[in-house]
Amino acid sequence: MRSKRPLYFYTPAFLHWWIRLVTLLSWRTRRRLIVKGREHLDAIDPPAIFVANHTSDWDGPMIRSVLPMFSKWGPMFYVALTRDYYKAKHRHVFSRLFFGGVLFTLVGAYPVYKGTGDLRRALMHHLKILEDGGPVVIFPEGREVRTGSVGDFRVGVAYLAALTGAPCIPVAISGFNKAEVENGIVPPGDLCLTFGEPVYYSATLVGGEPDAEDLLTFARSLKDRVERLRASHRPPKGL
Protein backbone atom coordinates (compact mmCIF):
# COMPACT_ATOMS: atom_id res chain seq x y z
CA MET A 1 0.00 0.00 0.00
CA ARG A 2 1.33 3.43 -0.84
CA SER A 3 2.57 5.52 2.06
CA LYS A 4 1.12 8.72 0.60
CA ARG A 5 -2.50 8.66 -0.42
CA PRO A 6 -3.99 10.74 -3.23
CA LEU A 7 -5.96 13.82 -2.21
CA TYR A 8 -9.28 12.37 -3.35
CA PHE A 9 -9.01 9.72 -0.60
CA TYR A 10 -9.44 12.25 2.21
CA THR A 11 -13.01 13.49 1.70
CA PRO A 12 -14.61 10.01 1.71
CA ALA A 13 -12.43 9.03 4.68
CA PHE A 14 -13.95 11.89 6.67
CA LEU A 15 -17.53 11.34 5.46
CA HIS A 16 -17.36 7.60 6.16
CA TRP A 17 -16.98 8.34 9.87
CA TRP A 18 -20.46 9.90 9.89
CA ILE A 19 -21.95 7.31 7.56
CA ARG A 20 -20.61 4.53 9.76
CA LEU A 21 -22.14 6.13 12.84
CA VAL A 22 -25.57 6.48 11.20
CA THR A 23 -25.46 2.99 9.71
CA LEU A 24 -24.60 1.19 12.94
CA LEU A 25 -27.07 3.21 15.01
CA SER A 26 -29.82 2.57 12.47
CA TRP A 27 -29.37 -1.20 12.31
CA ARG A 28 -27.98 -2.28 15.68
CA THR A 29 -31.11 -0.93 17.34
CA ARG A 30 -33.37 -2.97 15.05
CA ARG A 31 -31.46 -6.14 14.19
CA ARG A 32 -28.94 -8.56 15.61
CA LEU A 33 -25.79 -7.85 13.58
CA ILE A 34 -23.67 -10.94 12.90
CA VAL A 35 -20.30 -10.53 11.15
CA LYS A 36 -18.06 -13.46 10.24
CA GLY A 37 -14.81 -13.95 8.37
CA ARG A 38 -13.04 -10.69 9.19
CA GLU A 39 -9.93 -12.74 9.90
CA HIS A 40 -9.61 -13.34 6.14
CA LEU A 41 -8.70 -9.67 5.73
CA ASP A 42 -5.73 -9.76 8.09
CA ALA A 43 -3.23 -11.23 5.66
CA ILE A 44 -3.94 -8.86 2.75
CA ASP A 45 -3.65 -5.13 2.17
CA PRO A 46 -5.33 -2.77 -0.27
CA PRO A 47 -5.75 -2.61 -3.16
CA ALA A 48 -8.50 -5.21 -2.95
CA ILE A 49 -11.92 -5.80 -4.45
CA PHE A 50 -14.86 -6.58 -2.17
CA VAL A 51 -17.36 -8.63 -4.20
CA ALA A 52 -20.86 -8.66 -2.69
CA ASN A 53 -24.43 -9.58 -3.50
CA HIS A 54 -26.73 -6.57 -3.62
CA THR A 55 -30.03 -6.46 -1.72
CA SER A 56 -30.45 -2.82 -0.65
CA ASP A 57 -28.99 0.69 -0.60
CA TRP A 58 -27.50 -0.17 2.81
CA ASP A 59 -25.14 -2.85 1.51
CA GLY A 60 -22.21 -0.57 0.71
CA PRO A 61 -22.30 1.47 3.93
CA MET A 62 -22.69 -1.69 6.00
CA ILE A 63 -19.61 -3.38 4.51
CA ARG A 64 -17.51 -0.39 5.51
CA SER A 65 -19.22 0.04 8.87
CA VAL A 66 -18.48 -3.45 10.19
CA LEU A 67 -14.74 -2.87 9.73
CA PRO A 68 -12.65 -0.69 12.07
CA MET A 69 -12.95 3.01 11.31
CA PHE A 70 -9.22 3.71 11.44
CA SER A 71 -7.74 0.87 9.45
CA LYS A 72 -6.18 -0.03 6.14
CA TRP A 73 -9.69 -0.42 4.68
CA GLY A 74 -10.59 3.24 4.87
CA PRO A 75 -11.73 4.88 2.78
CA MET A 76 -13.62 2.43 0.62
CA PHE A 77 -14.73 3.23 -2.89
CA TYR A 78 -17.79 1.89 -4.66
CA VAL A 79 -18.82 0.90 -8.17
CA ALA A 80 -22.05 2.84 -8.68
CA LEU A 81 -24.29 3.53 -11.65
CA THR A 82 -24.79 6.82 -13.45
CA ARG A 83 -27.20 9.49 -12.25
CA ASP A 84 -29.79 8.71 -14.95
CA TYR A 85 -30.31 5.25 -13.49
CA TYR A 86 -30.91 6.53 -9.96
CA LYS A 87 -33.21 9.32 -11.12
CA ALA A 88 -35.40 6.73 -12.82
CA LYS A 89 -35.29 4.34 -9.86
CA HIS A 90 -35.87 6.67 -6.89
CA ARG A 91 -38.91 8.85 -6.27
CA HIS A 92 -37.63 10.54 -3.12
CA VAL A 93 -36.25 14.00 -3.90
CA PHE A 94 -33.11 13.57 -1.77
CA SER A 95 -32.26 10.24 -3.39
CA ARG A 96 -32.75 11.64 -6.88
CA LEU A 97 -30.38 14.51 -6.10
CA PHE A 98 -27.77 12.57 -4.12
CA PHE A 99 -27.46 9.22 -5.87
CA GLY A 100 -25.12 9.37 -8.83
CA GLY A 101 -24.27 13.06 -8.41
CA VAL A 102 -21.28 15.00 -7.13
CA LEU A 103 -22.12 14.19 -3.50
CA PHE A 104 -22.05 10.50 -4.40
CA THR A 105 -18.49 10.78 -5.66
CA LEU A 106 -17.49 12.69 -2.52
CA VAL A 107 -18.39 9.63 -0.43
CA GLY A 108 -16.40 7.43 -2.81
CA ALA A 109 -19.12 6.11 -5.15
CA TYR A 110 -17.88 6.46 -8.74
CA PRO A 111 -19.99 5.55 -11.78
CA VAL A 112 -19.44 2.67 -14.15
CA TYR A 113 -20.33 3.60 -17.72
CA LYS A 114 -22.52 0.80 -19.03
CA GLY A 115 -23.15 0.24 -22.71
CA THR A 116 -19.79 1.53 -23.94
CA GLY A 117 -18.60 -1.85 -25.20
CA ASP A 118 -15.22 -1.06 -23.63
CA LEU A 119 -14.64 -2.42 -20.12
CA ARG A 120 -11.49 -0.38 -19.61
CA ARG A 121 -13.39 2.81 -20.31
CA ALA A 122 -16.48 1.71 -18.36
CA LEU A 123 -14.40 1.02 -15.24
CA MET A 124 -11.76 3.71 -15.66
CA HIS A 125 -12.42 5.32 -12.26
CA HIS A 126 -12.12 2.04 -10.38
CA LEU A 127 -9.01 0.91 -12.22
CA LYS A 128 -7.39 4.18 -11.16
CA ILE A 129 -8.53 3.75 -7.54
CA LEU A 130 -7.04 0.25 -7.39
CA GLU A 131 -3.86 1.53 -9.02
CA ASP A 132 -3.67 4.18 -6.30
CA GLY A 133 -3.98 1.55 -3.58
CA GLY A 134 -7.64 1.91 -2.62
CA PRO A 135 -10.18 -0.82 -1.84
CA VAL A 136 -13.17 -1.06 -4.17
CA VAL A 137 -16.62 -2.53 -3.41
CA ILE A 138 -18.49 -3.90 -6.39
CA PHE A 139 -21.94 -5.48 -6.71
CA PRO A 140 -21.54 -7.62 -9.85
CA GLU A 141 -25.27 -8.30 -10.19
CA GLY A 142 -25.48 -4.72 -11.47
CA ARG A 143 -28.69 -3.96 -9.56
CA GLU A 144 -30.46 -4.74 -6.31
CA VAL A 145 -31.91 -8.25 -6.20
CA ARG A 146 -34.73 -8.51 -3.66
CA THR A 147 -36.03 -11.96 -4.58
CA GLY A 148 -33.99 -13.82 -1.98
CA SER A 149 -31.58 -15.21 -4.58
CA VAL A 150 -28.26 -14.06 -6.06
CA GLY A 151 -28.34 -12.81 -9.65
CA ASP A 152 -25.75 -13.54 -12.33
CA PHE A 153 -22.43 -11.76 -11.89
CA ARG A 154 -21.26 -9.54 -14.73
CA VAL A 155 -17.69 -9.71 -15.96
CA GLY A 156 -16.62 -6.24 -14.83
CA VAL A 157 -15.46 -7.60 -11.48
CA ALA A 158 -13.25 -10.15 -13.24
CA TYR A 159 -11.85 -7.43 -15.49
CA LEU A 160 -10.80 -5.33 -12.49
CA ALA A 161 -9.11 -8.35 -10.93
CA ALA A 162 -7.39 -9.33 -14.16
CA LEU A 163 -5.90 -5.91 -14.94
CA THR A 164 -4.85 -4.96 -11.40
CA GLY A 165 -3.95 -8.29 -9.81
CA ALA A 166 -5.92 -7.23 -6.72
CA PRO A 167 -7.46 -9.98 -4.60
CA CYS A 168 -11.23 -10.41 -4.68
CA ILE A 169 -12.90 -10.81 -1.29
CA PRO A 170 -16.34 -12.46 -1.53
CA VAL A 171 -18.92 -10.87 0.77
CA ALA A 172 -22.33 -12.38 1.50
CA ILE A 173 -25.07 -10.09 2.86
CA SER A 174 -28.44 -11.21 4.19
CA GLY A 175 -31.23 -9.65 6.21
CA PHE A 176 -32.12 -6.40 4.49
CA ASN A 177 -35.31 -7.57 2.81
CA LYS A 178 -38.36 -9.70 3.62
CA ALA A 179 -37.82 -12.22 0.82
CA GLU A 180 -34.67 -13.50 2.51
CA VAL A 181 -36.56 -14.18 5.74
CA GLU A 182 -39.51 -15.74 3.90
CA ASN A 183 -37.16 -18.03 1.95
CA GLY A 184 -35.37 -19.11 5.14
CA ILE A 185 -32.04 -17.57 4.12
CA VAL A 186 -31.66 -15.61 7.34
CA PRO A 187 -33.50 -15.85 10.70
CA PRO A 188 -36.00 -13.05 11.42
CA GLY A 189 -34.30 -10.11 13.07
CA ASP A 190 -30.78 -11.05 11.95
CA LEU A 191 -28.51 -9.04 9.67
CA CYS A 192 -25.58 -11.17 8.50
CA LEU A 193 -22.34 -10.29 6.69
CA THR A 194 -19.68 -12.88 5.95
CA PHE A 195 -16.26 -12.21 4.39
CA GLY A 196 -14.69 -15.09 2.47
CA GLU A 197 -11.11 -15.97 1.67
CA PRO A 198 -9.37 -13.81 -0.97
CA VAL A 199 -9.43 -15.08 -4.56
CA TYR A 200 -7.01 -14.07 -7.34
CA TYR A 201 -7.51 -13.98 -11.09
CA SER A 202 -4.97 -16.43 -12.49
CA ALA A 203 -5.66 -16.64 -16.22
CA THR A 204 -2.96 -15.33 -18.57
CA LEU A 205 -3.51 -11.97 -20.27
CA VAL A 206 -2.98 -11.86 -24.02
CA GLY A 207 -1.79 -8.54 -25.40
CA GLY A 208 -2.56 -6.88 -22.08
CA GLU A 209 -6.24 -7.91 -22.13
CA PRO A 210 -8.01 -10.92 -20.58
CA ASP A 211 -9.96 -13.48 -22.59
CA ALA A 212 -13.73 -12.96 -22.50
CA GLU A 213 -14.42 -16.61 -21.62
CA ASP A 214 -11.89 -16.51 -18.79
CA LEU A 215 -13.59 -13.38 -17.41
CA LEU A 216 -16.97 -15.09 -17.44
CA THR A 217 -15.60 -18.20 -15.76
CA PHE A 218 -14.00 -16.16 -13.00
CA ALA A 219 -17.15 -14.08 -12.45
CA ARG A 220 -19.21 -17.27 -12.12
CA SER A 221 -16.73 -18.69 -9.61
CA LEU A 222 -17.09 -15.55 -7.49
CA LYS A 223 -20.86 -15.86 -7.57
CA ASP A 224 -20.56 -19.48 -6.39
CA ARG A 225 -18.40 -18.39 -3.47
CA VAL A 226 -20.84 -15.66 -2.44
CA GLU A 227 -23.73 -18.13 -2.63
CA ARG A 228 -21.87 -20.64 -0.44
CA LEU A 229 -21.12 -17.97 2.14
CA ARG A 230 -24.74 -16.84 2.07
CA ALA A 231 -25.91 -20.41 2.62
CA SER A 232 -24.10 -20.34 5.97
CA HIS A 233 -26.57 -17.67 7.13
CA ARG A 234 -29.46 -20.16 7.06
CA PRO A 235 -30.67 -21.19 10.50
CA PRO A 236 -30.25 -24.88 11.43
CA LYS A 237 -33.19 -27.07 10.51
CA GLY A 238 -35.77 -27.34 13.19
CA LEU A 239 -35.23 -23.79 14.54
Side-chain angles (χ1 to χ4, degrees), residues 27 35 52 60 71 79 104 108 117 120 140-141 144 162 175 203 216 224 226:
W27 289 100
V35 184
S71 74
V79 178
F104 222 36
R120 188 183 292 269
E141 293 160 295
E144 292 176 11
L216 184 59
D224 290 342
V226 170

Side-chain angles (χ1 to χ4, degrees), residues 208-227:
E209 290 290 324
D211 177 75
E213 196 62 36
D214 290 337
L215 291 178
L216 184 59
T217 298
F218 188 69
R220 287 172 174 169
S221 72
L222 290 173
K223 178 190 174 182
D224 290 342
R225 288 174 181 269
V226 170
E227 287 184 318

Side-chain angles (χ1 to χ4, degrees), residues 146-148 175 177-189 234-235:
R146 299 175 179 267
T147 61
N177 63 66
K178 293 181 179 179
E180 293 170 323
V181 176
E182 293 170 352
N183 292 349
I185 295 167
V186 62
R234 290 183 177 272

Side-chain angles (χ1 to χ4, degrees), residues 159-187:
Y159 191 79
L160 289 174
L163 261 63
T164 64
C168 291
I169 304 163
V171 186
I173 304 172
S174 300
F176 278 121
N177 63 66
K178 293 181 179 179
E180 293 170 323
V181 176
E182 293 170 352
N183 292 349
I185 295 167
V186 62

Side-chain angles (χ1 to χ4, degrees), residues 6-19:
L7 290 177
Y8 71 89
F9 276 44
Y10 289 94
T11 300
F14 171 75
L15 293 175
H16 286 181
W17 190 93
W18 297 100
I19 293 171

